[in-house]
Amino acid sequence: MDNIRNFCIIAHIDHGKSTLADRLLERTQTIKITEGQMLDDMDLERERGITIKSHAIQMEYKHNGQTYILNLIDTPGHVDFSYEVSRSIAACEGALLVVDATQGVQAQTISNLYMAIEHDLEIIPVLNKIDMPSAMPDEVEDEIVELIGCKREDILRASGKTGEGVDDILQAIVERVPHPTGDPKAPLQALIFDSVFNSFRGIIAYFKIENGEIRKGDKVKFFNTGMEYVADEVGVLKMDMVPRDVLGTGEVGYIISGIKDATEVKVGDTITHVARPCDKAIAGFQEVKPMVFAGVYPIDPSEYENLRASLEKLQLNDASLTFSPESSVALGFGFRCGFLGLLHMEIVQERLDREFNMDVITTVPNVSYMVYDKHGGVKEVHNPSGLPEQTLIDHIEEPYIRATIITTTNFIGPIMTLCLDKRGELINQEYVSGNRVELHFMLPLGEIVIDFYDKLKSISKGYASFDYHLDGFRPSRLAKLDILLNGEPVDALSALTHQDNAVSMGRKMCEKLKDLIPRQQFDIAIQAAIGAKIVARETIKCVRKDVTAKCYGGDVSRKRKLLEKQKKGKKRMKQIGNVEVPQKAFLAVLKLD
């Protein structure tokens, strides 16, 4: 056990974590690097150049004549995947804090660092990309010293591209990161920190052993679900899975026990022996709190059960996805899914399409509100259609977040304007170092779920980093905006919005839908309503057939008779005709500006 080191790599987006991980794997001769970012094995990760999943891999390193086993977990840097990071941190004793020498400390660096400090991890600061011509190693070192209070000589300089300084990092991991502590003789206690679905072998759970040991063929029990299994295969994670007969305290590995049902494995659960169970589960990580809710519906209603199975399998691999069944008048049966952010929502939609061939419609994302009625009751509402009658509502509270934005001084003006337009309040601003400023805002979560991050990136030329956490609920003047097609409300397009923005939003939605809904043989009235009051209207004119073409000459009453006959037919058609709303229309509502 003294020769095991478990560590993860944490950093902001694009600070070179995965490239540095490649160099560590290469230097310890774990694998041959054939292309960049070997641990990012999902097509989506390769295409977008981001890490979506945490990846665990074992390396062997010789130091002073002894062989050390290093378990590395590479983590995502985007704020939407911070739950992945929290789980990786729970399975480690140390962390490499990677900072880009050209960009300095950014918001997500700070937020991941605090998470690691809460878990008492040994932090090794690494200055990456020092080979770049625009690197500012001295200034960035000052920022790191100020951030974690370490000595300047503790900071390692490295380059993931050229491999410079990689040996120093490996040496520092062996010397500075503490070995796992646990009792090999105690009953088995292993923390599940991730799981994947394999169509041939069932569900594979990844764990870290805190106490005791596990052997192939042992009868094991999952503590929280109470299910019992036989460990058909246990082993360690190299680039592929490598079976072993026994795994001891402090080791990171996998277990295959032929589990078929996705609901039986919970990330954060504890594995123990049936014969000699441990007395309590390991305190796992906090329950995930979804920030953005959207309805996901199959385009073909008969695919509902397949969609449920696909979401369950996806949830194994991405524990921060939550879902519950719901139904909609316009779209039939589907699920209300909770995501950690908009990028997370986009990735889930893309993975459903690629990995499970599911065609889905996603409704407008929104957040959850607390609705207080006049009898003193309170109800959590995720969907505008779940609101009680307007006359029964006393007041509505919406979630607020505390946002941290780090940027350079020349972008303060536009960023402040953006936040104040989104009903934000400035709490304080402090200068971090040189010309960099840290701004703290209170913002309603509902205002940032759709396009805030994209706008922030474009007005600051990509130079603002953004991080946030929930900060309770506050009363707010909200109005429910309904969209009616021929007098029928389309519940998938309804939205809860602030009263000041409701009318302009209604107008924009009507104009947008007029362009997107195809013409029918009858007039379609598109209306936006707040309660019983119509605030905007557009009409899509019908496609007409020239019924009077065959009338040449003669009395005008012949034409009139034909037109009256057509009018009656249109009226009858309107009673039974239904309006098809294309998927483009739902997506267009997201991009109203």
Side-chain angles (χ1 to χ4, degrees), residues 204-238:
I204 304 170
Y206 297 161
F207 59 81
K208 179 203 173 189
I209 301 179
E210 300 281 343
N211 292 307
E213 59 176 35
I214 186 168
R215 291 175 181 277
K216 185 180 168 180
D218 280 353
K219 283 202 75 172
V220 293
K221 177 169 106 176
F222 286 18
F223 205 89
N224 292 338
T225 54
M227 307 298 272
E228 298 183 3
Y229 307 100
V230 174
D232 297 334
E233 184 182 307
V234 295
V236 295
L237 298 155
K238 296 267 176 125

Side-chain angles (χ1 to χ4, degrees), residues 386-407:
L387 277 180
E389 284 294 314
Q390 197 65 41
T391 48
L392 301 174
I393 297 175
D394 182 48
H395 68 279
I396 302 178
E397 291 191 351
E398 63 174 333
Y400 266 70
I401 56 158
R402 192 185 172 109
T404 308
I405 298 172
I406 298 182
T407 182

